[in-house]
Amino acid sequence: MYMHITKEGDDTVLATIKDVAACAGVSKTLVSRYINGQGGVSAESGALIAAAIEKLGYRPNMLARSLVQRRTYCIGVSVDDLSSTFIVPLVAGLEYGVSHADAAHEYTVIYTNSCGDYEKKKRQLNFLTQGHVDGLIVYGSSIPEDGLTRQLASSRFPLVLIENDLIDLHVNKVLIDNVAGAFAATEHLIRLGHKKIAHFGGDINMRITLDRMNGFTRAMHQYNIHIEPDWMVFPSITDRDNWHRSGTARSLFYDQGYASMKRLVQTNRVPDAVFFATDIAAFGAVRALQEAGLRVPEDVSVIGFDDESTAAALYEAQPITTMRQPLREAGDAAIQLMIQLLEDPDIQPVTKQLPAQLIDRRTTCAPGTE
């Protein structure tokens, strides 16, 4: 084991475990046991070793340590788009969680960014699970990736899923209650008095898109309000891989929201309220409404999902009433579950479900309000 780089004149010197043992006046075996947190080291010897480590500036070789302990003390996190402002709260929650759940400050979080590319994600997860991390936290609900997720689960590699409720998998999960959140968003419009309500969905290949659509339809059925088929709008994704790789997925939602609303305006069949499964699509649709001389919310009430208020400026859009996802809390919960699992592999998996919160930014109102 090695090392800290020090200077003696012009020469670089690597402090070794042998140097630490000589400085402390103990055996190399005792130093190794101290470094790896094993027993059999007295308080007196431990103090001598600690003083020697500090004096020499010694740093243990973490690769060698992981071979001894069969632990890397690293947690892998897989996401599709680390550059997205949407992911920032999730990362903040993960970092907060590891700093508080990890009392000994041993764990490091390693992030991978697949850009929605299935083959890239497959390579990344394969790399991480080959001894580079102790456990994986995977964010996302892509249905085409279900097979990959099931393979991970069947391998019994420590796994926590965020926003992916594959009900047949007995693994730790942290979920946002998208069905209840979408129901609440639609119910908000209904209670204001709206009956001509449209739904603009997200990527139909995502489980959360289906959950939000289900929440919308449940609310409409419960209140006996007719669902107009032409007002159930989903983005047309003809080349999924390319638009993910090019980083234009979110811009696509904006463009589709704009184009879909523009078509409705041109047919003179504009709903008086819309629930959007993603705020980004709502930003584009609001632009189309404004270009047509329609006002939000006086002519069309708008409510979204995700709380993309920080992204509104990027699209020169006004922040909208939305359902806020507790992504910071989700990241925190996922890290806590992972560390508990790593410390006790026999612990039973749990599912934590977090509620979405209605944030009113005055883009909804009762019909006929001036």
Side-chain angles (χ1 to χ4, degrees):
M1 301 180 87
Y2 66 94
M3 63 181 207
H4 180 71
I5 299 177
T6 59
K7 292 285 186 178
E8 291 186 1
D10 294 328
D11 297 324
T12 298
V13 178
L14 301 179
T16 67
I17 194 171
K18 181 179 179 182
D19 298 327
V20 173
C23 182
V26 299
S27 69
K28 290 193 297 181
T29 300
L30 203 61
V31 174
S32 177
R33 296 183 68 84
Y34 175 85
I35 291 168
N36 291 305
Q38 299 169 328
V41 182
S42 68
E44 181 182 358
S45 295
L48 290 171
I49 295 169
I53 287 173
E54 182 176 359
K55 179 179 179 180
L56 298 174
Y58 170 81
R59 292 176 60 195
N61 183 331
M62 297 309 295
L63 177 59
R65 184 187 181 196
S66 69
L67 291 173
V68 172
Q69 298 187 344
R70 297 187 178 182
R71 295 280 296 275
T72 66
Y73 291 92
C74 292
I75 297 171
V77 176
S78 172
V79 299
D80 280 343
D81 187 4
L82 273 173
S83 66
S84 169
T85 56
F86 175 77
I87 291 295
V88 171
L90 178 70
V91 172
L94 290 163
E95 294 298 329
Y96 174 86
V98 79
S99 66
H100 287 77
D102 174 23
H105 302 294
E106 293 183 305
Y107 289 98
T108 297
V109 181
I110 297 175
Y111 298 89
T112 62
N113 182 32
S114 67
C115 301
D117 183 328
Y118 177 85
E119 291 300 326
K120 184 176 182 180
K121 175 173 281 190
K122 187 176 179 180
R123 290 194 303 272
Q124 290 172 344
L125 296 181
N126 182 63
F127 170 81
L128 291 173
T129 56
Q130 298 303 309
H132 292 93
V133 297
D134 296 329
L136 272 175
I137 296 173
V138 180
Y139 174 80
S141 65
S142 172
I143 295 172
E145 293 174 1
D146 282 356
L148 181 56
T149 306
R150 287 193 170 91
Q151 286 178 4
L152 275 173
S154 64
S155 73
R156 299 189 180 278
F157 194 82
L159 178 66
V160 176
L161 301 179
I162 302 179
E163 280 282 71
N164 196 355
D165 189 17
L166 272 169
I167 58 176
D168 58 319
L169 295 190
H170 194 51
V171 299
N172 284 292
K173 301 171 189 173
V174 179
L175 308 174
I176 311 299
D177 196 341
N178 288 285
V179 175
F183 185 99
T186 310
E187 185 178 53
H188 172 73
L189 298 174
I190 294 170
R191 287 181 172 176
L192 286 171
H194 294 291
K195 293 185 178 180
K196 298 168 60 179
I197 306 174
H199 174 51
F200 281 40
D203 181 356
I204 201 68
N205 293 294
M206 306 296 287
R207 191 164 283 103
I208 60 170
T209 296
L210 303 181
D211 287 343
R212 294 174 188 180
M213 179 185 69
N214 286 338
F216 168 79
T217 56
R218 285 185 189 181
M220 297 288 278
H221 289 316
Q222 181 167 313
Y223 286 89
N224 295 313
I225 298 176
H226 174 67
I227 298 175
E228 174 60 53
D230 290 343
W231 289 347
M232 295 286 287
V233 181
F234 293 88
S236 174
I237 302 170
T238 56
D239 193 348
R240 179 181 174 82
D241 288 339
N242 282 341
W243 65 258
H244 268 306
R245 290 193 189 101
S246 63
T248 59
R250 290 158 65 75
S251 294
L252 178 139
F253 289 129
Y254 178 90
D255 294 342
Q256 291 276 342
Y258 174 81
S260 296
M261 184 57 76
K262 194 167 185 177
R263 282 194 295 271
L264 289 180
V265 168
Q266 290 170 346
T267 62
N268 293 316
R269 298 188 68 252
V270 180
D272 58 24
V274 188
F275 163 51
F276 292 86
T278 168
D279 286 355
I280 302 298
F283 297 154
V286 169
R287 176 186 155 204
L289 290 169
Q290 292 172 338
E291 288 179 355
L294 295 170
R295 301 164 299 168
V296 175
E298 293 86 355
D299 298 315
V300 182
S301 284
V302 168
I303 186 169
F305 208 116
D306 294 335
D307 189 18
E308 293 268 22
S309 56
T310 55
L314 299 176
Y315 294 95
E316 299 181 345
Q318 69 182 99
I320 61 171
T321 298
T322 188
M323 300 303 298
R324 174 181 291 166
Q325 290 200 79
L327 287 178
R328 181 183 175 92
E329 293 85 346
D332 183 14
I335 281 288
Q336 291 189 45
L337 288 175
M338 177 55 71
I339 292 178
Q340 289 169 11
L341 178 60
L342 294 177
E343 299 303 319
D344 182 6
D346 295 325
I347 195 170
Q348 287 298 304
V350 299
T351 296
K352 291 191 174 184
Q353 193 166 64
L354 306 173
Q357 177 188 5
L358 177 64
I359 305 298
D360 189 351
R361 296 200 174 97
R362 300 182 181 180
T363 58
T364 62
C365 68
T369 302
E370 292 296 331

